[in-house]
Amino acid sequence: MTGLLSLRNVWLEYGDKVILERVEFDVAEGEFVLIVGPSGAGKSSLLRIVLGQEQPTRGQILLDGNPMPRECGPDRGVVFQRYSVFPHLTVLQNVLVGLEYSRAPLLARLFGAKRKQALAEAREMLDAVGLADHANVYPAQMSGGMQQRLAIAQTLIMRPRIVLLDEPFGALDPGIRGDMHRLITRLWREHGLTILMVTHDIKEAFSLGTRVLTVDKRRHDPHAPHRFGSTAVYDLRLDRKKREAAEAEASAVSTAGKSEKL
Amino acid sequence: MQWVNVKPGRRSAALMGAIPVAIVILTYLIASANRHAANPADKLLPTPGAMVDAMSALILHADPLSGRLLFWADTAASLQRLGLGLGISTAIALLVGLVMGLLPVVRASLAPLITIIAVIPPIALLPILFIVFGLGETAKVMLIIIGIAPFITRDIASHIGAIPAEQIVKAQTLGASSWQLALRVALPQAMPRLIHAVRLSIGPAWVFLISAEAIASDIGLGYRIFLVRRYLSMDIILPYVAWTALLAIAMDLALLWIGRKAFPWAQGERR
């Protein structure tokens, strides 16, 4: 299995402090990988490395077999826990802006027929996350859950190779979180996404993912707690097919065909 | 009820704001009337009537020497200097502040210089400006620019620097280049702050303007105030001071209004 994303012996050190050591794993296309671990274990650092926001001190990261560029780019989408949307743009503009960046390098604004086309795409994306009725409000006027829906729509419109989620539902009410789980599961299926998501909620990890990676320290020196870093200690592939097969029986045949592929 | 929870309504707030102003005016009127009762030729606290007489000469009647309506000529000259100074400062500050706030390389190379310029008392530079630029308009406008541009620049730079890293990363994952980031992320978020900073700079800008006009000028509100001081003409000084205050308030309100209309997303909840 050739991975979409491969981490090869990745280390992250701040001076003497070892945050991550010998992290090795591959993510295949279509996987929904959840990263769990105790707080401070370096889950978010790992995600930032894949994102390109931080550089590993050692090791190699391959995206589609090629070494990953040393900065963030449109091949990796991201949703953070907070501050993921632009406060000065309306909901529709927030989704539109990605298309404008890629299609209008100089002004980052589209006009005429191109704008119409982009607007239609943006509206479709908003519809997919259930924000079609809120196109013209500013993010500050929306609840936390709606802001995260917007952040997801904003990310997905760029069709990134891999979607990185950093505790995206951590600040939401349990009820809203359930809605968001259904939303992200549906989008993952419909758009054939590859997702890498960090969470501290183990229950969330096992209910959402097709695979759970546990990041923790293998060795611990009580006299030098930073001597050893975390690595992927458990790599559990969850058999989601069984559960989905049961769901699929109840729903249409086409859905069953899709879930077989997973 | 706790004092922090007592909130005036719209009308009572306006009334409460008007009372102290009314008291100050009333106190002046009483003091002025008292002094004139003792000495009808008193020049220190002129009566409103005396002020109207003195001012109408300047507002309505052309000066026999220059043929100009002095009050309006003074106002126009001062506003032109102030407008040029504020406008150029704003443009420089926005450009430099934006680039400084966004690009760590530029911040590292420019921040010390701008801090040094900002801590020099601008009035201390006035002689240099007069020597370098002569006694004309340039020196006066330059004083305003040197006085306020560093302040606005630093404010904009720190505001842009405080945009959450998540936003900058997010824009890059959406494919934004540094240029597009400046144009679509940093610039729009700098604008409300810019208006705020310019509002705060109007006061200092007037100080620098009046100082420059007082020292070397032949027209302008500051020039007139310092000129008639020689004759103890409080009946002209006081209305001129009130007029500068009025102009400053009008500018402030205009900027406030523009900020509210143009950037509705930046109007946070007020307590």
Side-chain angles (χ1 to χ4, degrees), chain B residues 126-142:
Chain B
L126 193 53
I128 302 176
L129 296 178
F130 280 143
I131 291 167
V132 174
F133 297 108
L135 299 179
E137 299 298 294
T138 319
K140 299 177 187 71
V141 173
M142 277 304 291

Side-chain angles (χ1 to χ4, degrees), chain B residues 8-25:
Chain B
R10 253 184 107 90
R11 285 178 101 184
S12 46
L15 189 69
M16 286 159 82
I19 289 172
V21 179
I23 289 176
V24 170
I25 294 175

Side-chain angles (χ1 to χ4, degrees), chain A residues 206-218:
Chain A
F206 280 89
S207 65
L208 273 183
T210 58
R211 182 176 167 197
V212 175
L213 279 177
T214 310
V215 173
D216 201 357
K217 293 177 195 241
R218 257 190 222 286

Side-chain angles (χ1 to χ4, degrees), chain A residues 191-206:
Chain A
H191 293 250
L193 303 175
T194 309
I195 301 180
L196 196 59
M197 170 169 161
V198 165
T199 180
H200 59 258
D201 183 348
I202 295 192
K203 196 163 159 268
E204 182 176 58
F206 280 89

